[in-house]
Amino acid sequence: MSLDRNNPEGAVAEAAKAYSNWGRWGADDRLGTLNFLTEAKRLQGAALIRRGVSFSLAQPFDMNGPQRGWRRRTNPVHTMLDTGADAALGTQGLPHGIGGADDVVAMPLQCSTQWDGLGHIFDHGKAWNGRDAATTVTSDGDLVTGIEHMASQIAGRAVLLDVGRAISAGGELTDGFAITTEHLEETARTQQVSVERGDIVLVRTGQLARVKRSGWGEYAGGPAPGLSFTTAGWLHSSEIAAIATDTWGFEVRPNEFDAAFQPLHQVVIPNMGLLVGEMWDLEALAEDCASDGVYEFFLAAPPLPITAAVGSPINPLAVK
């Protein structure tokens, strides 16, 4: 796919039409590409567990996170409701010397490691499967494709495409680097791993490693390596179940048009029904994969079943 930098509207419309999955799984579908993640794919993923070693792919959920207030997104605020001091002082009103601690967290659901739900992005007022955005996602939440419908689905074979190591001598892509289909396929060849129907694909750019050293800077919403708009065809034809990256926005930033905002999101979420994950910490997993040469593994990454939510924080676990 060639890009006219002056015509994001036309490019989005062309890709949305070419790569639409509307109606593919029926008018009532709530899962999108997760329909590719079958029982057989979960069995295939489970068979990859050989060493029993596990990796959390989540960033910490705390006030030292990357958010800078864009779209009113803040880092998690953790507050204690009861503490050990309260127990020691005897102010909790509990019998026979028992005490306890309770806490609460307030945070946007997409402030750290997370999934974008199918109700997160719209295309010209249309939500996933051609539904009316205005009646699908209201002030009461996503009334049709809320993230809770995915709570039992996201576990199976996953593949790490460490594009940072495969393409860059330093192991990290520069901000603004557009990952093309050719880069993805070259990485898979280099790693001797296949991307199959129903897989969950993790793409490491190395940006998170860089900001861990130098500070968050503009990680949230600023320039970043990421998928090129031109990968929309690959994302569709590969029939993967989901994709996640170590960046804030999944696609390359600045976007590949002179005046655009997240055009690849506009194609893949409401039109393709693709599940997108962002801000995953792939560093420890990538180190292990580079060490043992195995880039496929079992992954469990269920969202919290928050009724009618359009996204969810997660603690993805990769098991090799």
Side-chain angles (χ1 to χ4, degrees):
M1 176 190 293
S2 60
L3 294 182
D4 178 355
R5 294 192 62 89
N6 298 309
N7 187 21
E9 182 87 12
V12 168
E14 179 183 354
K17 181 179 179 181
Y19 309 129
S20 173
N21 282 326
W22 287 4
R24 184 169 186 168
W25 298 286
D28 297 329
D29 181 68
R30 296 173 170 177
L31 297 178
T33 56
L34 283 181
N35 283 284
F36 294 131
L37 208 173
T38 62
E39 289 85 353
K41 288 301 296 186
R42 294 192 187 95
L43 289 172
Q44 182 186 10
L48 296 173
I49 301 176
R50 299 184 176 94
R51 293 159 51 205
V53 62
S54 61
F55 301 88
S56 169
L57 310 183
Q59 294 188 33
F61 285 81
D62 58 36
M63 292 185 68
N64 298 314
Q67 297 301 330
R68 299 181 295 141
W70 183 79
R71 292 194 70 189
R72 295 176 287 182
R73 288 182 183 169
T74 61
N75 293 311
V77 178
H78 178 212
T79 304
M80 298 306 300
L81 301 179
D82 271 319
T83 69
D86 299 323
L89 290 170
T91 60
Q92 294 181 327
L94 299 173
H96 49 76
I98 190 172
D102 272 343
D103 46 5
V104 63
V105 173
M107 65 179 185
L109 297 183
Q110 294 167 318
C111 68
S112 189
T113 307
Q114 53 95 24
W115 286 120
D116 284 344
L118 293 182
H120 177 53
I121 297 292
F122 312 119
D123 181 11
H124 291 81
K126 294 296 183 182
W128 160 242
N129 224 21
R131 299 181 177 98
D132 176 24
T135 55
T136 299
V137 184
T138 72
S139 59
D140 291 322
D142 186 338
L143 306 179
V144 181
T145 49
I147 202 81
E148 73 272 17
H149 298 293
M150 298 180 172
S152 65
Q153 301 296 314
I154 311 172
R157 180 181 187 259
V159 171
L160 173 69
L161 296 182
D162 192 346
V163 184
R165 278 184 173 83
I167 301 299
S168 171
E172 300 169 8
L173 305 180
T174 57
D175 292 343
F177 185 97
I179 299 170
T180 65
T181 296
E182 290 71 26
H183 292 137
L184 296 171
E185 292 177 341
E186 178 184 344
T187 299
R189 285 194 300 270
T190 299
Q191 297 175 174
Q192 297 183 312
V193 69
S194 62
V195 174
E196 304 171 3
R197 181 183 188 182
D199 283 348
I200 303 166
V201 175
L202 312 182
V203 177
R204 178 187 174 273
T205 70
Q207 188 195 30
L208 184 59
R210 184 162 60 252
V211 301
K212 280 184 174 182
R213 294 192 307 269
S214 59
W216 288 118
E218 294 187 327
Y219 176 82
L227 269 69
S228 168
F229 185 83
T230 61
T231 61
W234 182 87
L235 293 169
H236 183 258
S237 64
S238 61
E239 297 185 333
I240 59 174
I243 189 166
T245 70
D246 59 351
T247 67
W248 171 87
F250 160 65
E251 58 189 284
V252 63
R253 293 181 57 79
N255 302 134
E256 298 158 284
F257 300 92
D258 291 334
F261 179 73
Q262 303 299 75
L264 188 56
H265 275 67
Q266 189 176 347
V267 172
V268 302
I269 295 179
N271 292 289
M272 199 181 299
L274 179 65
L275 184 65
V276 173
E278 293 156 334
M279 295 182 281
W280 290 38
D281 187 344
L282 305 175
E283 292 308 299
L285 174 64
E287 289 284 350
D288 189 82
C289 292
S291 176
D292 71 359
V294 177
Y295 289 84
E296 58 177 354
F297 39 87
F298 178 76
L299 178 77
L304 298 177
I306 303 169
T307 302
V310 298
S312 173
I314 48 173
N315 177 29
L317 288 180
V319 188
K320 296 180 69 178

